[in-house]
Amino acid sequence: MCGIIGYIGDKKASDVLISGLSHLEYRGYDSSGVALFGEKDIEIYKAQGKLINLIHVLNSKKEICTSSHMGIGHIRWATHGMPTEINAHPHTCNCENLTLVHNGIIENYQELKQELQMLGCKFKSQTDTEVAAHLIAQEYGKTQDLLKAMQNAVKKIQGAFAFCAMHKHEPNKIVIAKRNAPLIVGVGIGENFIASDVPAIIEYTKKAIYLSDYQTGVVTKNDIKIYDKEDKLTANKIEFLPYEALAISKMGYKHFMLKEIYEQSDVARNILAQKLVSQNENIKLDELKLDGNNIKKITRVQIIACGTSLHAGMVGKYIIEKFAKIPTDVEASSEYIYRDTIVDENTLVIGISQSGETADTITAIKQAKEQGAHVAIITNRVDSTMARLADSLLPVNAGIEVSVAATKSYMAQLISLYLLAIRLRELKFDFKDIEIIKLKQELFELPTKIEELLGHSEKIQKVAKKYSSYKNFIFIARGINFPSALEGALKLKEISYINATGYSAGELKHGPIAMLDENMPVLAILNTGVVYDKVLSNCEEARARQAKLIAVTNYIAPKDENLFDDVIMVPFGSDLISPALNIVVLQLLAYFIAEYLGKDVDQPRNLAKSVTVE
Ligand code: M6R
């Protein structure tokens, strides 16, 4: 959730650290700080709030900023302790010789804190991280060696961490450690970088070493040494980073979210170009490491994910059950891990995650793997922890998504699920039927229809303006678009803070209808198909309670037009493909409302892009 950056080389460290943190700012952002190793000493600067506050602080510290060529930085999303300057990282020990930044959560921090207090450690912050700083410093007192001190300390720590530490008596080195939180070392020439995520360093290097859990390391200007769980020197391979610096620029759009919404037609086109050759040929999904015989033995599919990825999974349930005819459950990872799930070697578990680093989903996947399931991962990050755990890795290739609100990654997940469902059917039944041919045709047409929608956003903008002052919203739909209602409501609440809830339209009269009056707009997703008339009846019920009604629809009969206050038309598509079209309207609606309200669209309060704590 937080972000880490480290640098050692000839550049001005403060420049590299601030640039790195600015690219991580989307991950978590209530405070930030850097520690700069100067000629003799380590100086720490912190600021509450946005990164710009830290930049202002550093602007008045020209001397250290010019002379320091080594440092560590952090951008924080508070877990333990309020988002104050004191709680911001880096943290230190009593003598302030040791400086540390940390991502993750130290679960036994209270026990450790008590022990350390008895040894005389004085705590300044409320964070769990400060415990690690004192603990490593205590170990340093015994060993006079920062690497050994780190290696001894992490053995006493329970929980998740990526650490980056410097010690005043050991200039020219940064010591690192990782367990259940991502950490990479960017490899340069005469310089090296450390980061919790690729965007922080991609403008400087395209090569990196990924640390595995329980590894520690020492990074100097010209060398990187990695040690395994037993503290023995080990060799991690250097990998090529697949990202372009350009991908993390706004390219003229006001917000990353808008840019990412507009990228969706290309995202769809790129994935389909690689996997869908023609209506009569099989889907090219070699990444699925199951053959027809394996698939015939699969008795159940379990989809696990969180947030937006969970909503994609709910659409996946419809299409997998329809095409592969395998009973499919979908569950939030955070629930899945705390019950006795029935999983065996005939279970296909599909983990979906934009970041590939969501802690709950990682735990759920590990659990399913231990029980013998085949684990397929649908992720946007082939370099993530989840990707490394996958039996079948189904990359979605949406490109880096910077805005906290997931948009293009959702589109890519939906398309991957369509392709997977079709492939499962091809492998299981070994024949091509008209339904598959029709869906493939619709997939071919999808990018153009998305473009058509994006080209006519004026109506959505008008509706957004009209409804931006409402404090509550209800989204209704049925069938395969029920997840679209949930996702539309999630988008609206996370970036505009309007209380929006998605309901299955049929459930409206079982309680939520009590809330309806002229102050409660109801947005109904109406797609021609089996539930169209049912949703229309639910709209009548809402109208009878004076609710304002908005339709997002691909067909409306002239006789029904007056039922609605506003109608937003969507290009025509079958029920099956409609979630991939309707969602574009809902994303734009949420975006424009938040924009009118002057909200911080890309970095909404209290949220982070990647939720690496359970
Ligand atoms: O990286 P993941 O897809 O695993 O993240 C899951 C959720 O945290 C994420 O979708 C979240 O709900 C987004 N803010 C939604 O826009």
Side-chain angles (χ1 to χ4, degrees):
M1 327 255 320
C2 307
I4 285 180
I5 175 85
Y7 175 72
I8 183 161
D10 291 328
K11 294 190 172 74
K12 272 167 71 181
S14 58
D15 287 353
V16 180
L17 299 184
I18 290 298
S19 153
L21 292 179
S22 71
H23 292 309
L24 292 175
E25 202 180 12
Y26 71 101
R27 294 181 64 114
Y29 28 75
D30 50 45
S31 52
S32 53
V34 293
L36 297 170
F37 213 122
E39 310 239 306
K40 295 192 214 74
D41 222 335
I42 299 175
E43 293 188 22
I44 295 178
Y45 302 101
K46 303 182 187 186
Q48 192 178 335
K50 295 265 181 195
L51 186 61
I52 189 71
N53 300 346
L54 179 65
I55 296 173
H56 290 321
V57 172
L58 288 178
N59 283 346
S60 61
K61 308 287 171 195
K62 288 271 179 299
E63 206 177 308
I64 179 78
C65 288
T66 314
S67 64
S68 170
H69 302 286
M70 161 179 169
I72 55 179
H74 189 267
I75 191 144
R76 179 170 185 253
W77 185 88
T79 57
H80 294 63
M82 302 274 285
T84 57
E85 194 178 315
I86 287 207
N87 287 335
H89 303 207
H91 287 284
T92 57
C93 54
N94 280 8
C95 62
E96 302 194 349
N97 286 342
L98 180 128
T99 317
L100 175 87
V101 292
H102 164 226
N103 277 5
I105 287 185
I106 299 173
E107 283 163 7
N108 59 337
Y109 85 101
Q110 270 165 330
E111 296 95 289
L112 290 172
K113 190 170 181 178
Q114 274 173 10
E115 286 167 25
L116 290 161
Q117 276 169 328
M118 295 209 301
L119 294 171
C121 297
K122 300 263 178 294
F123 285 81
K124 300 181 209 87
S125 75
Q126 290 85 49
T127 63
D128 52 338
T129 304
E130 196 183 349
V131 169
H134 285 286
L135 183 65
I136 301 167
Q138 287 293 317
E139 293 297 331
Y140 191 87
K142 296 176 205 163
T143 60
Q144 303 299 307
D145 180 311
L146 184 54
L147 172 68
K148 284 209 179 75
M150 177 71 88
Q151 289 171 333
N152 293 346
V154 292
K155 294 190 178 75
K156 299 181 179 170
I157 292 176
Q158 290 162 15
F161 51 77
F163 288 132
C164 224
M166 303 190 295
H167 197 285
K168 197 168 131 182
H169 296 158
E170 298 194 26
N172 312 324
K173 75 167 69 149
I174 299 174
V175 169
I176 55 180
K178 169 196 151 57
R179 191 193 304 159
N180 293 333
L183 196 64
I184 56 173
V185 182
V187 182
I189 299 167
E191 60 181 354
N192 286 309
F193 307 80
I194 300 150
S196 52
D197 200 0
V198 176
I201 55 171
I202 195 72
E203 74 181 273
Y204 301 108
T205 179
K206 292 266 189 303
K207 288 193 284 180
I209 290 171
Y210 286 79
L211 259 73
S212 299
D213 284 343
Y214 296 96
Q215 289 190 324
T216 53
V218 179
V219 181
T220 62
K221 213 174 132 176
N222 294 305
D223 196 20
I224 300 161
K225 287 206 160 55
I226 307 292
Y227 299 84
D228 67 13
K229 197 175 178 180
E230 274 76 46
D231 304 337
K232 294 205 183 76
L233 194 62
T234 184
N236 289 23
K237 66 173 190 297
I238 296 179
E239 297 185 33
F240 187 74
L241 300 174
Y243 302 102
E244 292 302 325
L246 199 61
I248 45 179
S249 113
K250 283 192 202 133
M251 310 276 288
Y253 286 93
K254 185 163 180 197
H255 294 102
F256 279 108
M257 182 178 176
L258 192 60
K259 172 190 165 230
E260 287 159 4
I261 291 174
Y262 271 83
E263 281 171 349
Q264 291 181 108
S265 47
D266 282 345
V267 166
R269 197 166 275 127
N270 290 343
I271 305 174
L272 293 167
Q274 289 165 35
K275 308 283 177 208
L276 181 60
V277 180
S278 82
Q279 278 169 302
N280 296 317
E281 278 178 73
N282 285 344
I283 299 285
K284 291 197 180 314
L285 204 58
D286 296 342
E287 295 90 344
L288 181 66
K289 303 295 178 206
L290 292 172
D291 60 21
N293 285 334
N294 302 137
I295 287 165
K296 282 177 193 140
K297 287 188 200 138
I298 301 276
T299 52
R300 63 195 299 168
V301 174
Q302 293 180 340
I303 302 180
I304 42 183
C306 301
T308 291
S309 301
L310 178 66
H311 298 150
M314 292 169 78
V315 176
K317 171 185 163 71
Y318 277 85
I319 39 188
I320 291 172
E321 288 190 338
K322 178 166 178 62
F323 286 108
K325 306 284 178 222
I326 309 173
T328 302
D329 299 314
V330 195
E331 196 168 359
S333 320
S334 51
E335 293 300 323
Y336 183 92
I337 52 187
Y338 292 110
R339 62 181 186 84
D340 293 330
T341 41
I342 300 168
V343 178
D344 58 23
E345 63 282 3
N346 296 326
T347 312
L348 169 61
V349 168
I350 304 174
I352 310 178
S353 174
Q354 186 284 130
S355 62
E357 298 295 350
T358 299
D360 287 319
T361 310
I362 292 174
T363 309
I365 284 159
K366 286 184 179 164
Q367 213 170 285
K369 263 180 95 84
E370 275 165 22
Q371 292 175 80
H374 182 95
V375 171
I377 298 293
I378 296 181
T379 183
N380 198 26
R381 299 297 297 266
V382 287
D383 54 341
S384 63
T385 306
M386 272 183 231
R388 282 156 206 276
L389 289 169
D391 296 313
S392 293
L393 173 59
L394 312 177
V396 300
N397 298 331
I400 282 191
E401 190 178 64
V402 174
S403 180
V404 163
T407 53
K408 62 174 179 172
S409 61
Y410 181 72
M411 178 63 71
Q413 289 167 352
L414 288 185
I415 294 172
S416 297
L417 285 161
Y418 286 120
L419 296 172
L420 176 63
I422 300 175
R423 187 68 193 131
L424 289 174
R425 185 178 178 103
E426 287 170 349
L427 286 164
K428 190 172 169 186
F429 299 116
D430 201 20
F431 65 83
K432 291 175 190 64
D433 56 84
I434 189 70
E435 285 203 275
I436 286 201
I437 291 175
K438 260 170 62 188
L439 181 56
K440 283 183 179 170
Q441 180 56 33
E442 291 213 275
L443 285 167
F444 274 125
E445 291 164 6
L446 183 64
T448 314
K449 288 184 181 170
I450 297 173
E451 256 155 20
E452 198 184 314
L453 249 174
L454 292 169
H456 297 94
S457 61
E458 310 78 17
K459 173 73 189 177
I460 306 171
Q461 230 163 327
K462 269 195 204 142
V463 173
K465 194 170 185 182
K466 182 169 164 189
Y467 292 92
S468 57
S469 59
Y470 284 85
K471 301 283 175 262
N472 300 288
F473 247 95
I474 283 181
F475 287 63
I476 57 168
R478 283 175 94 147
I480 197 167
N481 275 301
F482 170 48
S484 310
L486 296 179
E487 177 58 11
L490 175 65
K491 285 284 92 73
L492 185 58
K493 71 186 138 202
E494 72 180 326
I495 59 168
S496 70
Y497 321 143
I498 290 173
N499 176 26
T501 313
Y503 290 108
S504 153
E507 279 294 297
L508 201 61
K509 55 186 162 302
H510 298 289
I513 202 163
M515 297 188 294
L516 298 192
D517 62 18
E518 69 283 2
N519 296 316
M520 179 68 85
V522 174
L523 183 145
I525 303 167
L526 277 153
N527 211 83
T528 47
V530 66
V531 292
Y532 183 91
D533 290 337
K534 298 287 173 207
V535 181
L536 202 60
S537 306
N538 300 132
C539 292
E540 299 272 9
E541 292 156 12
R543 178 48 118 201
R545 274 85 192 170
Q546 278 88 49
K548 296 270 177 297
L549 268 180
I550 307 159
V552 173
T553 183
N554 63 0
Y555 169 76
I556 196 95
K559 69 171 175 56
D560 296 322
E561 266 175 24
N562 289 339
L563 180 62
F564 295 95
D565 295 280
D566 290 281
V567 176
I568 300 172
M569 292 305 295
V570 178
F572 199 82
S574 74
D575 233 12
L576 275 180
I577 201 75
S578 64
L581 292 165
N582 293 328
I583 197 58
V584 179
V585 173
L586 304 182
Q587 292 166 345
L588 282 172
L589 187 69
Y591 172 80
F592 289 129
I593 291 180
E595 227 305 74
Y596 280 123
L597 296 176
K599 301 295 183 203
D600 190 348
V601 173
D602 284 333
Q603 297 174 357
R605 70 183 181 204
N606 304 339
L607 289 175
K609 184 68 183 158
S610 156
V611 184
T612 52
V613 291
E614 281 185 14

